[in-house]
Amino acid sequence: MPAPSTGLTEQMLRRRPAIDAPVAHGASAHLKRSIGTFQLTMFGVGATVGTGIFFVLAEAVPEAGPAVIISFVIAGVAAGLSAICYAEMASAVPVSGSSYSYAYTTLGEFVAMGIGACLLLEYGVSISAVAVGWSGYVNKLLDNLFGVQVPQLLSAAPWDDGAGLVNLPAVLLIVMCAALLIRGASESAVVNTIMVAIKLGVLLLFVVIALTAYNADHFAGFWDAGLSGITLAASGIFFSYIGLDAVSTAGDEVKDPQKTMPRAILAALIIVTSFYVLVAFAALGSQPTAEFGSEEQSTAGLAVILENITGSTWASTILAAGAVISIFSVALVVMYGQTRILFAMGRDGLLPSLFAKVNPRTMTPVNNTVIVAVVCSLLAGFVPLGSLLDMVSIGTLVAFITVSIGVIVLRVREPDLDRGFKVPFYPITPILSVLACLVVLWGLHWYTWIAFGAWVGVALVFWVFWSRHRSALNDGGDSK
């Protein structure tokens, strides 16, 4: 064990250099740069456009009425503030690890360990929850196409009404994503791009069909819900944008990252917001707002609207297929992000070097992929995840806040650092980003904060007793 050369306080505050940081003993220094701007943009869209848009209207429209379109814009602006901050940090610190690496460079090792714990929880639970949702859509698609379903014994966890043994389709999705990621980042990017094109095509099909039933009267009483209803809906919609964080996990595998990453983050934000507003407008024009609150629409979302318009189930089947592909894409990109965060933490010495080993042929962190697949398969197959989902929200918002603060810290500390993109209206933009995230955090339950604090506390105790002694910033680190 390398002996730390500094005291505890100095270790807590020490920062990773933005460029040419040391590498922990036994860790690989680099991944293969093979991802371009378009493919990285599709990563952002793939991780963000999931099942949310297929169902969020059933929750948001009863709160905001026709003005839910404004709610989507507000949520997009709030997420956009964070995305703009991510764009600057990604251009200044062009490495894998997302907000963990940004926190390490700006706020120090102790904070970085806490943010790393946030991200590992956020991504791990997200992968598992997304896989469980995919299982339900697979059954719906099989039923529509062939009139069969996977038996409940093999499509539900033991705690799901006590009727299941294992959620086999969920496990299968995770295994397929892992197999793709092991083959290579560029291959995974190609598959994701294809899936994103399909799911955006499905959403465009919905827009075209829904507009055939457009009735301007459905927008009557546009402002009736008032500002409170619009902002309440915006808070719920905000979480449909959190996948944008995944773009910044790819820093070590992107060509010309200082230019590519900001472009991809902002392009993904524009694409996602445009599609969300289009879908909301078409859906609102096709039926009265009162119908969005029905139980049927809360479980089948956009599919019910198309069935009502067309009078048949073919459109519903296409939407179910689109949802299956959509969720696959989300799981793939989120698992990718999880493995790269582990790689960054292993390379920095805050986790064992096992996590920073790269396969010499594929240049991918195979160990990470296998470990993440096993853990997430166990969660998705056997564990009830509902109570953990709010912790995903906390983890994401804390990461957003950290990045926004990091922009200010890095501007003050290293004003001459090369940045491929700079936040406009600095420092107003990062300050507004922090405030927007705090407003959303305010609405979460107290017990979620306690559970989240316990998780981060365990990670920080691990840092005190293990990580700080093996950090690459100790004298024993290898230079890149």
Side-chain angles (χ1 to χ4, degrees):
M1 178 189 303
S5 58
T6 54
L8 179 62
T9 302
E10 289 80 3
Q11 292 165 8
M12 292 173 67
L13 298 176
R14 61 188 174 187
R15 301 184 301 273
R16 181 188 191 277
I19 306 293
D20 294 329
V23 176
H25 286 298
S28 300
H30 301 288
L31 298 169
K32 182 181 178 182
R33 295 198 181 277
S34 59
I35 301 173
T37 303
F38 178 72
Q39 289 181 324
L40 189 61
T41 301
M42 293 300 99
F43 262 41
V45 177
T48 306
V49 180
T51 55
I53 190 59
F54 290 90
F55 294 102
V56 74
L57 290 174
E59 299 175 6
V61 173
E63 294 170 341
V68 74
I69 293 174
I70 307 300
S71 301
F72 271 100
V73 174
I74 291 173
V77 169
L81 292 170
S82 297
I84 289 169
C85 293
Y86 265 92
E88 175 166 329
M89 289 300 295
S91 71
V93 188
V95 297
S96 293
S98 183
S99 47
Y100 154 76
S101 294
Y102 307 152
Y104 206 164
T105 300
T106 57
L107 302 175
E109 190 168 294
F110 192 68
V111 173
M113 189 68 187
I115 294 300
C118 291
L119 293 176
L120 293 178
L121 175 70
E122 168 198 337
Y123 278 73
V125 174
S126 294
I127 295 164
S128 307
V130 162
V132 171
W134 189 78
S135 177
Y137 271 105
V138 166
N139 259 341
K140 179 175 177 60
L141 185 61
L142 289 174
D143 188 33
N144 281 6
L145 291 175
F146 309 111
V148 299
Q149 290 190 348
V150 179
Q152 188 169 7
L153 190 69
L154 298 176
S155 61
W159 288 271
D160 291 341
D161 298 325
L165 179 64
V166 59
N167 195 326
L168 197 57
V171 173
L172 177 63
L173 172 65
I174 292 170
V175 170
M176 289 190 295
C177 289
L180 264 174
L181 292 173
I182 288 172
R183 282 187 59 84
S186 59
E187 290 85 352
S188 301
V190 169
V191 172
N192 174 71
T193 298
I194 294 170
M195 289 191 289
V196 168
I198 293 172
K199 68 181 174 183
L200 293 183
V202 169
L203 289 176
L204 278 177
L205 176 67
F206 169 83
V207 170
V208 170
I209 295 175
L211 287 177
T212 63
Y214 178 82
N215 185 342
D217 292 342
H218 295 159
F219 290 91
F222 190 86
W223 300 105
D224 286 358
L227 183 61
S228 60
I230 293 171
T231 54
L232 181 63
S235 296
I237 292 168
F238 179 85
F239 296 110
S240 299
Y241 288 88
I242 62 178
L244 292 170
D245 176 88
V247 174
S248 61
T249 65
D252 277 278
E253 290 166 286
V254 174
K255 302 171 186 176
D256 192 11
Q258 290 182 305
K259 293 181 179 178
T260 297
M261 294 183 70
R263 290 171 183 168
I265 291 170
L266 298 177
L269 173 70
I270 292 169
I271 292 170
V272 169
T273 304
S274 299
F275 268 84
Y276 284 178
V277 171
L278 264 177
V279 169
F281 177 79
L284 285 163
S286 68
Q287 68 176 25
T289 55
E291 294 183 15
F292 283 92
S294 69
E295 183 178 348
E296 188 181 22
Q297 294 216 351
S298 68
T299 56
L302 305 184
V304 173
I305 296 175
L306 292 191
E307 285 183 10
N308 292 339
I309 293 172
T310 63
S312 64
T313 60
W314 66 267
S316 168
T317 302
I318 291 176
L319 266 180
V324 167
I325 294 167
S326 176
I327 298 172
F328 194 120
S329 174
V330 173
L332 178 67
V333 178
V334 173
M335 182 179 285
Y336 170 88
Q338 173 86 307
T339 61
R340 272 50 181 184
I341 292 164
L342 286 169
F343 172 82
M345 296 182 74
R347 183 172 59 183
D348 292 336
L350 303 192
L351 289 178
S353 60
L354 166 73
F355 292 102
K357 299 286 188 184
V358 172
N359 182 285
R361 185 178 63 84
T362 62
M363 291 299 291
T364 58
V366 173
N367 292 337
N368 296 2
T369 307
V370 172
I371 292 169
V372 169
V374 170
V375 172
C376 291
S377 292
L378 291 173
L379 287 174
F382 299 101
V383 178
L385 298 169
S387 58
L388 294 177
L389 293 180
D390 276 352
M391 291 176 69
V392 173
S393 302
I394 284 189
T396 303
L397 289 163
V398 170
F400 281 8
I401 289 171
T402 303
V403 171
S404 301
I405 293 174
V407 167
I408 299 172
V409 171
L410 203 59
R411 284 279 192 106
V412 172
R413 185 179 294 134
E414 300 187 51
D416 299 325
L417 185 67
D418 185 28
R419 293 167 171 84
F421 174 85
K422 285 190 174 182
V423 167
F425 307 113
Y426 172 88
I428 296 173
T429 300
I431 291 172
L432 288 177
S433 174
V434 171
L435 293 175
C437 292
L438 288 175
V439 168
V440 180
L441 278 172
W442 184 259
L444 295 173
H445 297 293
W446 63 268
Y447 51 80
T448 305
W449 281 100
I450 292 176
F452 175 75
W455 166 259
V456 174
V458 169
L460 296 178
V461 169
F462 179 79
W463 177 85
V464 169
F465 288 100
W466 193 94
S467 302
R468 69 188 179 99
H469 300 291
R470 295 164 175 82
S471 169
L473 297 185
N474 290 332
D475 294 338
D478 299 323
S479 175
K480 285 185 180 180

